Amino acid sequence: MTTSPTRSPGKMSRRGNTGPTTYDFRKPIKLSRDHIRTLQIAFETYARSCGTLFTTRLRVVSSVSLVSIEQLNYDEYISSLANPTVIAVVSIDPLPGTVLVEVSSSAVMTAIDHMLGGPGGAQPERPLTEVEMPLLRGLMERMLGELRYGFEQLVDISPKLKEIEYNAQFLRAHQPGDAVVIASFEMKIGTEECVASICLPFATILPVLEKQETIELTAAERLVRDTSLRKLTAGLSAAPIDVAVRFQPIRMRTDDIVDLLPGDVVPLAHPTSVPLEVTVNETVFAHAVPGNQGARLACLVVPSPKEEKRR
C-alpha cells in the first residue's frame, strides 16, 4: 500500500485531509481522540494569546495559529528541525521533564529587529549579540507566561527558561526513543512567516490528560466507535498465526554445526518427563506432549510444569 509522506499518524491537523498516513504497529499511537481535543483547546488558547503578545510587544500585526498535534519519537522530532534554529529549554514545575519551544532563526531576528525599532523583513543569519540575547530571553519568558495561561485549565505550571540552544543535534533533553507530543504553529510576524513548535514529553503530559473528564461522544461517534471495535475484534479473532511446538534448546559449537552430515545424531537433552513448549513469536504460552491424530503428527496440551508443582 502506498502512503503519503506525512510525518506520522494520530495527529490533529487543520489543513484538511492530506491522504492516508503510515501506521507503525511497533510504535502504537497512545494519544486518544479525547487527549487531542484537550490539548487542542490548551494550545489554541496559547496561540491566540501569543499572537496578541507579538502584536503589542513588537508593534506589528502578528498572528499565531495551531496547525497540528502529533506524537513522535524524540529523535524523529529533532531530525525534522532546521539547523540553525532557536530552541528554548524549559522546565515546567511541578511537572517533571523538559519542554522545548522552537522558533526559526529568521522569525527571531525579525522580532528583535522590531523590538529595536527596525522595519523587520528579511534578516541576516548570524549569532545573536550581547545586546540582542537579553531581548530574546525577555520575549521567550513572555511567551512562557502565555503557555502557563493556555494550560491553566489542565494543570497549574510555572514554565521557567533554562537555556537557549541553536543546534538541535546538540540537545540531550530526552532519550532518542522517548515518545513526545509535538504541537506545530504557523507564526506570522509582519511579513515573516514560519512554523514554530513545542515539544512535550509524553510521559509528563499523559497523567494530566488522563485526569480530565472524558468528552461526551455524540450518538454518531459512539456508533462509529462501537462498529470499529466489533470489526477489529472479529478481524483479530480470525487472524492466522504461526504456532510452534519445540524441545528445549541446546548449545553447540560453531564447528560442530558446520561438520553436521545427514545421519548424524544430535542429543537434545530434553527429559522425557518434561512437556514440550508451545510458542508464538518466541513466547511460550502453553505446554504439550507429542502424539498423533490418525496419520498426522499432533500434540496434546497439558498443564505447565509450574501448575503441576502447585497441585
Side-chain angles (χ1 to χ4, degrees), residues 204-217:
T204 295
I205 198 63
L206 181 61
V208 175
L209 297 174
E210 290 181 336
K211 288 181 181 178
Q212 303 304 308
E213 295 183 356
T214 303
I215 298 177
E216 185 69 24
L217 298 178

Side-chain angles (χ1 to χ4, degrees), residues 96-159:
T98 299
V99 173
L100 303 180
V101 180
E102 179 264 337
V103 184
S104 72
S105 300
S106 59
V108 167
M109 295 300 295
T110 298
I112 291 176
D113 189 67
H114 281 297
M115 284 189 284
L116 293 175
Q123 301 292 320
E125 190 173 288
R126 57 172 176 77
L128 297 181
T129 66
E130 294 181 358
V131 174
E132 295 166 338
M133 182 57 74
L135 294 176
L136 173 59
R137 294 187 68 92
L139 182 62
M140 285 289 187
E141 287 170 353
R142 294 285 297 273
M143 292 172 62
L144 296 180
E146 304 305 332
L147 184 63
R148 177 179 183 176
Y149 171 69
F151 273 77
E152 67 178 2
Q153 297 300 322
L154 298 180
V155 59
D156 186 15
I157 56 176
S158 299

